[in-house]
Amino acid sequence: MQSRFAAQSRPVAADWHDLAEASSIPSQLGVVVVAAAGNGADRPYIVASPSIAPEAICVAQTQVPSAVQNFMTVVSPASIARDYIAVFQPWSAPLTAVIQAPLQYGNGAGGNLNGCAAFAAGSLTGKIVLVDRGVCAFSAKIRNIGDGGGLVGVIGLVTPVDPFEGAFGGGPPITIPGLMISQATANTIKGQLAVGVVARFDPNNKVPLVMSMVSRSARGPSYSFNSIKPDIAAPGASVSAEAGTGTGQVAFGGTSGATPMIAGSAALLIQAHPGVAPLEIKALLMNTAETNIKINPATQPGVVAPITRIGGGEVRVNRAFGRRTYSITPSFRYASDSASGAVNMIAPSSISVPAHGSASFRVRLSTNATKLPIWTLNGGSRGGDGFRLQDVEFDGYITLTDNTDSLRLPWQLLPHRAADVTVSKKVHLKKGTGNLVLSNEDGAVNGRVDVFSLLGTSREIPPRLLPGPGDNFAVIDMKSVGARLVNSGLGPAIQFAINTFGVRAHPNYPAEFDIYVDANRDGVPDYVVFNLENGGFAATGQNVVAVFNVATNAATIFFFTDADLNSANAILTAPLSALGLNASSRFDFSVFAFDNYFTGNPTDTIVNLTYTPSTPRFVASGVPATGVPVGGSSTLTIQAVPGGVAPDT
């Protein structure tokens, strides 16, 4: 028996997530598994579990045919007068005529700024009212504004994400139009309230959004497999039966709303081809999808969505029926990628598929590292920049065409132009000095070199203790820990370098490193240096370093974590002053690795370390600030520090 299965989950995933494994097993037993990509927006690796399971059909959300981009026009003051993007909330009353009026924030007197309390009847008459997101349902805010006499309700976001269609919170119908604006737009308006703001909403001031992405639809690639996800997209803003009402309907959207569209499409194919395997159903849907899907016609006219947002494209199930013989044409999604010469693809010119049979062909994908773009992503300040991922990834389609129709197979490659720094020999000190030659002969970019005092190591955890598919826990296996003194914008600082066995797609999850610092060496930790996602879970994609003061129970964020994507390294920086230290202070510390996604449990430790920042045992110099040159080498000079002692004494 074949059927379909749809689900949605938190927007971070791994192959050892039980939901991902639970999606893989039914597919292997003949069930077509369809799962939502999640609503984590345009951030690298944010696509959700269980949709990251290779067998699952991961569904992104595109705009419904009737979708339009509305705008809020600020009429005055002149300093901010222009159009601003405003997303209409489909559960509110439609905008049928031009509305122009003074704009008020909350109750106009500094109260009820989130609109969750009732406004006095008539107190908002003739006003467009701005309220903050948070605390209560979106629809409750707009209803309260309408009940107070407001003309239009505007929800201002309080975090830097794109405005979206919020969920309906139930209750009586909304009688006024409701829209949502970005945090930046809301802050711009709030900055001019003292001089008075007049806004206008015009139902004719809009841009059609059909065949484009919904901004909140989560981006890939998959966290664990670095493979194409999402797989396909479908319109997702519709209506659904409302439980307990009998015949009632309620607005229903997000990738959870798009997923049933794909499940239904899969059901049609199963009905037409009852003997076809789940992966073939998936391939039929992806291969026949519409690829001409844009990012946002209002903000990026004409720019098509990358494969890591759209996968095979927007579903066109009517194209998925029938068997054919095809000519084969590889292509790039973006002309600039093809012109760069960095990636080359070779495929046969055609393939013949016998009736009721199958055929396969090989595709060769190669890269010229010297022509790849410079990698600009990182896991710190740029860890949430989806647009930077778009700058360095390559994608496109392999198109199979006959006289009747075309099939398209999406491909995606995320190469990293990197250095390949190697050490030519061991160093031997003579009279406290020695040289080490660093070579970058095979590198494609100058090699960055950071030198730390090696303070502690840990053995690799045996494979039998590591998680398997569906185990629902992670193990962060530390390899080594080092430290060094640096100058920062906040004065002298200590940097802790941590290297692990195994890499992480993104430094946010599933690893947290806690460095317990005993500043006065009395055996009791005084501070904890640790990394975390800036703003909370799935908020920004940025990994930052904070210092927790044990005595005051307060934590302060100071720097971004120095870590890349798909890396085993992380550098955590903290001002010495924030740790009650100076350069000559000798202190003790221990490092703990935590699974910060599944269990919160510690998974490895390197403990009882001691360090004096100003007098390490050795220092190194000689590598140019620009790094070890491509095709060349640099000499690293190692010197013993007078008075420096081994880290464990």
Side-chain angles (χ1 to χ4, degrees), residues 90-120:
W91 34 258
S92 67
L95 182 69
T96 57
V98 175
I99 298 176
Q100 179 172 317
L103 186 145
Q104 177 176 297
Y105 181 30
N107 65 9
N112 202 11
L113 299 182
N114 59 23
C116 290
F119 293 95

Coordinates of all heavy atoms in Angstrom, one line a residue, residues 90-120:
P90 N -4.3 38.1 5.2 CA -5.5 37.6 4.4 C -6.7 37.3 5.3 O -7.8 37.2 4.7 CB -5.0 36.3 3.8 CG -3.8 35.8 4.7 CD -3.2 37.1 5.1
W91 N -6.6 37.3 6.6 CA -7.8 37.1 7.4 C -8.4 38.4 7.8 O -9.4 38.4 8.5 CB -7.4 36.3 8.7 CG -6.0 36.6 9.2 CD1 -4.9 35.9 9.1 CD2 -5.6 37.8 9.9 NE1 -3.8 36.5 9.6 CE2 -4.2 37.7 10.2 CE3 -6.3 38.9 10.4 CZ2 -3.5 38.6 10.9 CZ3 -5.5 39.9 11.1 CH2 -4.2 39.7 11.3
S92 N -7.8 39.5 7.4 CA -8.4 40.8 7.7 C -9.3 41.3 6.5 O -9.4 40.6 5.5 CB -7.3 41.8 8.0 OG -6.6 42.1 6.8
A93 N -10.0 42.4 6.7 CA -10.9 42.9 5.7 C -10.1 43.4 4.5 O -9.0 44.0 4.7 CB -11.7 44.1 6.3
P94 N -10.6 43.2 3.3 CA -9.8 43.6 2.1 C -9.7 45.2 2.0 O -10.6 45.9 2.5 CB -10.6 43.0 1.0 CG -12.0 42.9 1.5 CD -11.8 42.5 2.9
L95 N -8.6 45.6 1.4 CA -8.5 47.0 1.2 C -9.1 47.3 -0.2 O -8.6 46.9 -1.2 CB -7.0 47.4 1.1 CG -6.6 48.8 0.9 CD1 -6.9 49.7 2.1 CD2 -5.1 48.9 0.6
T96 N -10.3 48.1 -0.1 CA -11.0 48.3 -1.3 C -11.0 49.7 -1.8 O -11.4 50.0 -3.0 CB -12.5 47.9 -1.1 OG1 -13.0 48.7 0.0 CG2 -12.6 46.4 -0.8
A97 N -10.5 50.6 -1.0 CA -10.4 52.1 -1.4 C -9.2 52.7 -0.8 O -8.6 52.1 0.2 CB -11.7 52.8 -1.0
V98 N -8.8 53.8 -1.3 CA -7.6 54.5 -0.8 C -8.0 55.0 0.6 O -9.0 55.6 0.9 CB -7.3 55.7 -1.7 CG1 -6.1 56.5 -1.0 CG2 -6.8 55.2 -3.1
I99 N -7.0 54.7 1.6 CA -7.2 55.2 2.9 C -5.9 56.0 3.3 O -4.8 55.5 3.2 CB -7.3 54.1 3.9 CG1 -8.6 53.3 3.6 CG2 -7.3 54.6 5.4 CD1 -8.7 52.0 4.5
Q100 N -6.1 57.3 3.6 CA -5.0 58.2 3.9 C -5.4 58.9 5.3 O -6.5 59.4 5.4 CB -4.7 59.2 2.9 CG -3.6 60.2 3.2 CD -3.2 61.1 2.1 OE1 -3.1 60.7 1.0 NE2 -3.0 62.4 2.4
A101 N -4.5 58.8 6.2 CA -4.8 59.3 7.6 C -3.6 59.5 8.4 O -2.5 58.9 8.0 CB -5.8 58.4 8.3
P102 N -3.6 60.2 9.5 CA -2.5 60.3 10.4 C -2.2 58.9 11.0 O -3.1 58.1 11.2 CB -3.0 61.2 11.5 CG -4.1 62.0 10.9 CD -4.7 61.1 9.9
L103 N -0.9 58.6 11.2 CA -0.5 57.3 11.8 C -0.2 57.5 13.2 O 0.5 58.4 13.6 CB 0.7 56.8 11.0 CG 1.1 55.4 11.4 CD1 1.6 54.6 10.2 CD2 2.2 55.4 12.5
Q104 N -0.7 56.6 14.1 CA -0.5 56.7 15.5 C 0.1 55.4 16.0 O -0.2 54.3 15.5 CB -1.9 56.9 16.2 CG -1.8 56.9 17.7 CD -3.2 57.2 18.3 OE1 -3.7 58.3 18.1 NE2 -3.8 56.2 19.0
Y105 N 1.0 55.5 17.0 CA 1.7 54.3 17.6 C 1.0 54.0 18.9 O 1.0 54.7 19.8 CB 3.2 54.7 17.8 CG 4.0 53.6 18.4 CD1 3.8 52.2 18.1 CD2 5.1 53.9 19.1 CE1 4.6 51.3 18.7 CE2 6.0 52.9 19.7 CZ 5.7 51.6 19.4 OH 6.5 50.6 19.9
G106 N 0.4 52.8 18.9 CA -0.3 52.3 20.1 C -1.5 53.3 20.4 O -2.2 53.6 19.5
N107 N -1.6 53.6 21.7 CA -2.7 54.5 22.0 C -2.4 56.0 21.8 O -3.2 56.9 22.2 CB -3.2 54.3 23.4 CG -2.2 54.6 24.5 OD1 -1.1 55.2 24.2 ND2 -2.5 54.2 25.7
G108 N -1.2 56.3 21.3 CA -0.8 57.6 21.0 C -0.2 58.3 22.2 O 0.3 59.5 22.1
A109 N -0.2 57.7 23.4 CA 0.3 58.3 24.6 C 1.4 57.4 25.3 O 1.6 57.5 26.5 CB -0.8 58.6 25.6
G110 N 2.0 56.5 24.4 CA 3.0 55.7 25.0 C 2.5 54.4 25.6 O 3.3 53.6 26.1
G111 N 1.2 54.1 25.4 CA 0.7 52.9 26.0 C 0.1 51.9 25.0 O -0.1 52.3 23.8
N112 N -0.2 50.7 25.4 CA -0.7 49.6 24.5 C 0.0 49.6 23.2 O -0.6 49.5 22.1 CB -2.2 49.9 24.3 CG -2.9 48.6 23.9 OD1 -2.4 47.5 24.0 ND2 -4.2 48.8 23.4
L113 N 1.4 49.6 23.3 CA 2.2 49.6 22.1 C 2.1 48.3 21.3 O 2.4 48.3 20.1 CB 3.6 49.9 22.4 CG 3.9 51.3 23.1 CD1 5.3 51.5 23.4 CD2 3.3 52.4 22.3
N114 N 1.7 47.2 21.9 CA 1.6 46.0 21.1 C 0.2 45.7 20.7 O -0.1 44.7 20.1 CB 2.2 44.8 21.9 CG 1.5 44.5 23.3 OD1 0.4 45.0 23.5 ND2 2.2 43.9 24.2
G115 N -0.8 46.5 21.1 CA -2.1 46.4 20.7 C -2.9 45.2 21.3 O -4.0 44.8 20.8
C116 N -2.3 44.6 22.3 CA -3.0 43.4 22.9 C -4.1 43.7 23.9 O -4.9 42.8 24.2 CB -1.9 42.5 23.5 SG -0.8 41.7 22.4
A117 N -4.1 44.9 24.4 CA -5.2 45.3 25.2 C -6.3 46.1 24.4 O -6.0 46.6 23.3 CB -4.7 46.2 26.3
A118 N -7.5 46.1 24.9 CA -8.6 46.8 24.1 C -8.3 48.3 24.1 O -7.9 48.9 25.1 CB -9.9 46.5 24.8
F119 N -8.6 48.9 23.0 CA -8.5 50.4 22.9 C -9.9 50.9 23.3 O -10.9 50.3 23.0 CB -8.1 50.8 21.5 CG -6.7 50.5 21.1 CD1 -6.4 49.4 20.4 CD2 -5.7 51.3 21.5 CE1 -5.1 49.1 20.1 CE2 -4.4 51.0 21.2 CZ -4.1 49.9 20.4
A120 N -10.0 52.1 23.9 CA -11.3 52.7 24.2 C -12.0 52.9 22.9 O -11.5 53.3 21.9 CB -11.1 54.0 24.9

